[in-house]
Amino acid sequence: MAITSHDPIPTAQLDGAVKDYSRDKVYVLTALFLAALTVVEVLTYAFPDFPAWSGNLVIVVLMLLMAIKFFTVVHIFMHLRFDKPILTWIFWAGVVLAGGVYFAALCTFRIFWPGSHG
Amino acid sequence: MAIIEAPSSDQLALPSGAVVSDHKPTGAFTRPSSGATGWKSWLTTVDHKKIGIMYGATALVFLLIGGFEAILIRVQLWSPRGTLLSANTYNQVFTMHGTTMVFLVVMPIGAAFANYLMPLQIGARDVAYPRINAYSYWMYLFGGIFLNTSWLLGGGADGGWFNYAPNNGILYSPSHGIDFWNMGLLITGIASLAGAVNLIVTVLNMRAPGMSLMRMPIFTWMTLVTQFLLLFAIPVLTVAQVLLMMDRTFDANFFNVAKGANPLLWEHLFWIFGHPEVYLMILPAFGLVSDMLPVFSRKPIFGYPFIVFSGVAIGFMGWGVWAHHMFVSGIGPISVTAFSLTTMFIAVPTGVKILNWTATMWGGKLQFTAPMLFSIGLVTMFTIGGLSGVTHSVAPADTQQTDTYYIVAHFHYVLFGGAFFGFIGGFYFYWSKVFGYMLNEKVGKANFWLMLLGFNLTFAPMHILGLQGMSRRIYTYDAGYGFDLWNKVATVGAFVLASSVFLFIFNIFYSRSKAKSMPPVSADPWDARTIEWMIPSPVPEYNFDPIPTVTRVDDFWYRKYGETNDGKLVRIAETDDVIQKLSDGKHIHLPSPSYWPIVSAFGMPIIGYGLIFNLWLCLIGGIIVVGGIYGWALEPADDPDAAHDDHDPADHGPDDDSAAAAITEGADAGDIATEKEPETVG
Amino acid sequence: MANAVQAHESVAQADAHAPHAHIQHDTNTGISNTKLGMWLFLASECLLFGGLITTYLLYKHPLEGPTPKEIFDIPFTSTSSFVLLMSSLTMVLAVSAIERGDHQRLRIWLGATALLGATFISGQIYEFTVFVREGLGFTTSRFSSAFYTLTGFHGVHVTVGIVMLMSLVLLSLRGKLPEHRAETVEIVGLYWHFVDVVWIFIFAVVYLIP
């Protein structure tokens, strides 16, 4: 228990991380990665006719990019990846439940079919 | 914050050997003294037992209000062309009856048991956040009072307990009743959400040594499932209610058909919340019965893992069946088929539970005490209600049953015959643990038979009325439809039922006056199985001393009994030797009371009145809420002069840690509160 | 050791006298109550925002008034989204600063996070005023009600986050935020990242998908 304020406290003790990791470097790289994805997202708007996301494909591309960004922030910045698994279970239970229930509700409104808007 | 055993002082020593004594905890205000007694101690208490008792007592008062509304309904329907209530008043009475019974009676009684019992069943000192616990209770109380003040301020809500759109809009319901309904339930919703976070953390984090998840009593398991359901269901209702409030107060277009809105959105949101809601009302009662039946069968519960996992399965599957409330709303054949199937499947885990309870009793030495009678009452009455529920899953049949008295019969069989029988049984079972005297058994048994009779007289005829085609929610009917006889029977039944509730209340006072001339009740009057029966009755403030180490399911039972090789039960220890003795509890550190939960909760109904009558009131309410939260965050985590301590004051140093947590704790509550402050939204 | 204690320069470190007895959480899961509670709360928030987003998706084609396509200014919103995204970086840097015991950097990064958040909110207020001027009032159409409610709710969450961040800066200045309370910063950070994550979803689904 004799930890003086000079010695850095082992990170694992502070945030309950299961393993130690080099933090700031990971964080900055993650932020650059997120920024790059955001640039791609905005490009879909700027160049709507680019073949990789022309037509309805753009929805798939954007949802995929969004999912990657979502996952990255949650698992790196909120360090679920390094933390106790039960937190991952709890959070994804909420996400999956919300996704499933609301997707089903929207399906009963048939909004994903052309020509039908609520 | 977590209750921390007073630490030994060697932990506090710096390496130099000097003891830290100059450390002051964070905090701007002193906390109320924990030695207070009388009414003041109830206002500032953070003790989970006192809060549990307050939940129960408040719910019983609301039960009388809701019950009075039920009697009004039944008197109105006594004969054709009843004139007691006008159509308008009748609408308000049945809406408030349903709302009161669901949100202010059944859910809070579940919360009362969860608060009081669950920490005892897992061997904890208190819940994870004692102050948030108090905050939950006050929010529930103020929300309930707010809802019922609508009677004095222009009339109650009149759209039925689910207030379908567009019927709930200003156009069709111009009085303020639905605004009160909306704001009141938002407030109680915050209470439930805060309670859910609190109780889940308590179960996951604060179990006694050895109490693994699969050694927890079933009631604790069902509490865990219930609170997870609340955690995820309440925000859905909140969304629906925020949209409705935007419509009614700020002219938004969420349910305005003229601007292309789809009223089915309300139905979906309400039932996505509403179906988990019905399971979270019944599961606490299932848990109580699963703990009572083994005691009075003198056998372990049959298939502990099955009964646990069927409860968890009900919790999961409860999310996939909501649209069976909407079969006649035109959601289309594919949706109807899908939800029909999921609804049939959800009967399976419920059936597993019924089977397990029956098998628990099978071959047991049954003792027909009052709690046992109520438990068996739940098993049988709930089975009837469950079977009529399965008939709703068949969409063609449901189309005929929708909005008839058949539905009314069904949900009273599951909610009254199920949940309420379980709760009354739980009251008889645990009364001595809570108040230190037993409820009279003879009166209790009479209470059961009277309630069973009244209940069946009231609600069984409604099956017939429904199949004859009597709509629910009609304020009167004409002679000649064949409705007369069964309505009369139901009304007689309602009075029998009411007298059984009064018999219960009578029993409380009768038994208390009798108890004065009797020896004090023992810790374990039923020869029970779970560890909460180890502690003296009534439970001392500190719960356990020392905290027991748990080695198996029904740990307390196996401290008293062992088994011979051929499976025969033998007593291995006298009960008196294994129960805990009353100690002075001086070395146990308990959380100090606090003024702030009641203060910050008090601001919410003021915001509610403000949204209805004058937005300036919102400002006053908002200031009280925010001020309360800051006072909360800044108050010291513990009263330095707390009564339970004969150690050096320096020992309190480490508890300062919980002040940090209190900041985020306060921030959480503030966040919940702020997001419900609609004047800042949009 | 006594010398070492005296060597503390910053006022914030004065509180480091407080014993470190509770760094290891004495709970069944090994996670502190507060952190577990925050994650549960965030899981519950998913259902809240999910409901609002569902409402928006259902109502995004108005019968009258401006349509999303006409009114959204994607370059502007992209910039403010980027600002919010970067505030997540400054937030994690603040957490890692306090874990190292660097209180000066902690306050800088917390302040930067709050500032970026405030920039985002200012952008949102500006966006709203432009929209209203262009004829998209709260009551104009089903789309406008759904849009303002969803983004307004998110804005309120960001504002609450800013208040919590500023409270942390003040606590730290008063020396009430020693390393052994780093978890408080981390938990406020969890909330902040969650708000960011919700915006990532809103930005893609509400603004970008045509």
Side-chain angles (χ1 to χ4, degrees), chain A residues 88-105:
Chain A
T88 312
W89 278 102
I90 288 172
F91 184 69
W92 286 103
V95 174
V96 170
L97 189 64
V101 164
Y102 290 127
F103 181 75

Side-chain angles (χ1 to χ4, degrees), chain A residues 38-49:
Chain A
T38 311
V39 168
V40 179
E41 281 183 334
V42 178
L43 284 179
T44 65
Y45 166 79
F47 304 101
D49 298 327

Side-chain angles (χ1 to χ4, degrees), chain B residues 355-384:
Chain B
L355 174 90
N356 277 297
W357 291 327
T358 319
T360 303
M361 288 187 278
W362 184 265
K365 284 196 205 113
L366 304 189
Q367 300 169 329
F368 291 100
T369 58
M372 180 64 163
L373 289 175
F374 278 103
S375 304
I376 299 171
L378 180 146
V379 177
T380 48
M381 294 302 110
F382 183 85
T383 305
I384 297 174

Side-chain angles (χ1 to χ4, degrees), chain A residues 37 40-41 44 60-70:
Chain A
L37 291 188
V40 179
E41 281 183 334
T44 65
V60 180
V61 172
L62 281 173
M63 290 307 282
L64 198 66
L65 288 171
M66 185 277 294
I68 297 172
K69 283 169 77 179
F70 190 102

Side-chain angles (χ1 to χ4, degrees), chain C:
Chain C
M1 183 58 214
N3 288 339
V5 173
Q6 280 162 8
H8 293 148
E9 287 159 33
S10 114
V11 59
Q13 281 170 315
D15 208 35
H17 285 287
H20 296 106
H22 291 284
I23 290 169
Q24 295 250 309
H25 303 295
D26 200 13
T27 59
N28 297 106
T29 54
I31 304 160
S32 78
N33 289 346
T34 331
K35 185 165 165 179
L36 187 58
M38 179 49 98
W39 275 107
L40 288 165
F41 173 67
L42 295 183
S44 154
E45 289 270 275
C46 293
L47 277 285
L48 186 91
F49 279 105
L52 291 170
I53 291 168
T54 304
T55 309
Y56 175 82
L57 289 177
L58 190 61
Y59 288 165
K60 73 177 184 174
H61 301 283
L63 299 188
E64 56 202 292
T67 63
K69 203 172 178 167
E70 291 161 15
I71 203 139
F72 284 158
D73 181 356
I74 299 294
F76 179 82
T77 312
S78 304
T79 316
S80 65
S81 305
F82 189 74
V83 166
L84 193 63
L85 193 63
M86 286 306 112
S87 77
S88 267
L89 175 64
T90 55
M91 187 69 232
V92 280
L93 291 177
V95 175
S96 113
I98 191 172
E99 284 170 359
R100 285 195 312 270
D102 189 342
H103 293 268
Q104 192 64 33
R105 288 250 162 73
L106 165 74
R107 288 190 285 267
I108 292 175
W109 289 126
L110 283 180
T113 312
L115 198 67
L116 290 171
T119 313
F120 174 83
I121 289 293
S122 320
Q124 193 171 42
I125 293 169
Y126 172 75
E127 185 191 40
F128 281 8
T129 50
V130 171
F131 286 180
V132 170
R133 220 178 298 136
E134 289 175 12
L136 190 79
F138 183 61
T139 58
T140 305
S141 61
R142 60 180 189 178
F143 155 69
S144 74
S145 297
F147 170 78
Y148 283 121
T149 305
L150 170 60
T151 50
F153 241 76
H154 180 265
V156 170
H157 274 76
V158 177
T159 312
V160 170
I162 295 172
V163 171
M164 294 204 288
L165 290 170
M166 294 314 291
S167 306
L168 285 184
V169 172
L170 287 179
L171 276 181
S172 172
L173 280 173
R174 291 182 59 210
K176 302 284 189 195
L177 208 57
E179 290 95 281
H180 73 90
R181 259 189 239 153
E183 200 185 65
T184 309
V185 182
E186 192 202 334
I187 287 164
V188 172
L190 289 179
Y191 174 82
W192 188 263
H193 296 309
F194 177 76
V195 172
D196 184 25
V197 156
V198 171
W199 189 258
I200 288 175
F201 196 97
I202 292 177
F203 180 57
V205 171
V206 172
Y207 286 90
L208 288 179
I209 288 181

Side-chain angles (χ1 to χ4, degrees), chain B residues 367-634:
Chain B
Q367 300 169 329
F368 291 100
T369 58
M372 180 64 163
L373 289 175
F374 278 103
S375 304
I376 299 171
L378 180 146
V379 177
T380 48
M381 294 302 110
F382 183 85
T383 305
I384 297 174
L387 289 175
S388 63
V390 174
T391 67
H392 304 327
S393 71
V394 184
D398 184 74
T399 315
Q400 300 301 314
Q401 296 157 358
T402 298
D403 278 341
T404 67
Y405 262 84
Y406 190 84
I407 299 283
V408 180
H410 158 70
F411 65 68
H412 281 95
Y413 264 84
V414 289
L415 274 181
F416 198 115
F420 203 73
F421 270 59
F423 289 144
I424 297 283
F427 283 140
Y428 275 99
F429 191 52
Y430 283 108
W431 201 267
S432 66
K433 185 58 50 196
V434 179
F435 296 103
Y437 65 93
M438 300 275 285
L439 288 179
N440 186 294
E441 269 292 304
K442 270 198 191 121
V443 182
K445 284 175 193 164
N447 189 178
F448 168 73
W449 290 111
L450 195 63
M451 190 172 274
L452 189 74
L453 175 74
F455 168 75
N456 281 298
L457 272 182
T458 314
F459 298 112
M462 291 187 187
H463 289 113
I464 303 166
L465 283 172
L467 293 178
Q468 282 177 332
M470 180 167 167
S471 300
R472 74 196 276 205
R473 295 180 174 165
I474 49 166
Y475 82 106
T476 191
Y477 53 93
D478 272 327
Y481 286 101
F483 298 162
D484 305 27
L485 170 68
W486 294 118
N487 271 305
K488 283 198 167 52
V489 174
T491 304
V492 171
F495 280 96
V496 177
L497 201 50
S499 53
S500 76
V501 171
F502 282 111
L503 188 61
F504 174 70
I505 294 169
F506 162 77
N507 197 3
I508 295 174
F509 294 101
Y510 172 74
S511 306
R512 197 173 68 165
S513 67
K514 278 270 187 168
K516 284 176 187 140
S517 55
M518 286 200 281
V521 68
S522 80
D524 180 27
W526 306 112
D527 201 7
R529 312 181 71 88
T530 40
I531 60 171
E532 73 270 22
W533 295 100
M534 284 172 72
I535 12 181
S537 304
V539 182
E541 201 182 353
Y542 52 80
N543 297 355
F544 289 91
D545 181 26
I547 301 239
T549 299
V550 176
T551 53
R552 55 191 296 181
V553 178
D554 291 342
D555 192 76
F556 179 48
W557 176 262
Y558 293 104
R559 289 171 190 232
K560 297 183 289 187
Y561 294 95
E563 272 175 14
T564 58
N565 284 336
D566 52 348
K568 268 201 158 167
L569 212 58
V570 283
R571 196 174 254 281
I572 53 174
E574 282 308 309
T575 307
D576 281 347
D577 298 332
V578 288
I579 57 173
Q580 296 198 339
K581 304 288 175 291
L582 210 55
S583 80
D584 65 357
K586 278 228 160 128
H587 59 290
I588 298 166
H589 189 79
L590 291 170
S592 301
S594 171
Y595 298 112
W596 300 108
I598 187 170
V599 171
S600 42
F602 183 70
M604 287 308 288
I606 299 184
I607 295 179
Y609 287 118
L611 280 167
I612 294 171
F613 296 112
N614 185 334
L615 287 179
W616 286 106
L617 273 178
C618 290
L619 188 69
I620 299 172
I623 289 172
I624 296 176
V625 171
V626 173
I629 288 163
Y630 267 88
W632 181 325
L634 292 177

